[in-house]
Amino acid sequence: MLDGKIRVMISAEEIDAKLAEMGRAITDDYQGKDLLMVGILKGAFMVMADLARHIELPVEFDFMAVSSYGASTKSSGVVRILKDLDSEIQGRHLLIVEDIIDSGLTLRYLMKSLRVRQPASLELAALLVKDGVERPATDIRYEGFRIPPEFVIGYGLDYAEKYRNLPYVGIVEG
Ligand code: IMP
Ligand code: MG
């Protein structure tokens, strides 16, 4: 468990307001398109569920699981696919949903391997993006919040697999 207190960085209300905004944009952009939302497990499960409720389209869902961190708090750059998609994606409009983009290494690998399968389009939605981090150019179509490059927990994000159930994004004070 973590020592120290957890401070709220982004409240549940702020998260919901932002997801409503993102959901409206997605609803506008994908009119008449066959949208498949792909959540990256485990972290994105909450964003996926709450964002989806703000999207007014006949959307389909799929999930992938990748591992990049292990129990460490730094990205290793080594990505393993633990669970692949169930769906064929050729010719479909894919929207990848991520909890957080830190180094962007996980995503770069993922987008590359998905592009090979020739989707009609491939876009990215992320609730959190860490500022001041050097990362390969990543085009984030739907971005929630920019946050400082610190380790955060809650709202899907874990520390050693715990704290994912916090309804807010928190930061640990030492
Ligand atoms: P990246 O490859 O460095 O961009 O990290 C991608 C993954 O690492 C995310 O999808 C998260 O699951 C995890 N991650 C990155 N930063 C944090 C954090 O501050 N708290 C918890 N998990 C994180
Ligand atoms: Mg994760």
Side-chain angles (χ1 to χ4, degrees):
M1 300 293 271
L2 294 171
D3 300 323
K5 278 216 169 81
I6 300 170
R7 175 170 62 78
V8 177
M9 181 189 266
I10 308 169
S11 72
E13 291 73 21
E14 289 169 315
I15 294 170
D16 192 60
K18 184 63 80 177
L19 292 179
E21 219 177 273
M22 292 165 75
R24 274 193 297 274
I26 294 166
T27 302
D28 285 349
D29 293 350
Y30 287 90
Q31 290 296 321
K33 287 185 179 156
D34 175 26
L35 172 60
L36 177 67
M37 285 173 73
V38 174
I40 309 305
L41 297 171
K42 299 170 199 167
F45 80 102
M46 277 212 191
V47 188
M48 187 80 156
D50 288 343
L51 175 60
R53 274 177 270 204
H54 290 292
I55 297 175
E56 294 172 37
L57 291 170
V59 57
E60 288 182 35
F61 302 93
D62 207 338
F63 292 92
M64 279 181 95
V66 297
S67 102
S68 65
Y69 271 39
S72 151
T73 58
K74 284 244 164 65
S75 196
S76 62
V78 180
V79 181
R80 266 192 317 141
I81 294 188
L82 304 176
K83 183 218 169 291
D84 206 339
L85 295 172
D86 296 331
S87 342
E88 290 290 330
I89 61 169
Q90 188 169 13
R92 307 199 61 188
H93 293 278
L94 247 68
L95 178 61
I96 308 294
V97 179
E98 260 286 29
D99 47 1
I100 189 165
I101 296 169
D102 184 1
S103 72
L105 289 171
T106 310
L107 220 69
R108 185 165 70 158
Y109 175 88
L110 212 73
M111 302 284 272
K112 214 170 101 188
S113 63
L114 289 175
R115 231 170 250 125
V116 176
R117 305 181 200 177
Q118 300 180 304
S121 67
L122 184 59
E123 299 289 354
L124 174 61
L127 181 69
L128 307 171
V129 180
K130 282 195 194 174
D131 247 341
V133 177
E134 251 190 73
R135 68 172 73 89
T138 332
D139 185 16
I140 308 163
R141 187 85 167 76
Y142 308 98
E143 185 179 304
F145 300 93
R146 291 245 158 194
I147 62 166
E150 289 176 79
F151 194 77
V152 290
I153 54 172
Y155 202 74
L157 293 158
D158 71 304
Y159 172 74
E161 293 302 326
K162 300 225 166 39
Y163 306 100
R164 293 190 195 275
N165 57 317
L166 298 177
Y168 54 85
V169 173
I171 186 163
V172 182
E173 292 183 324

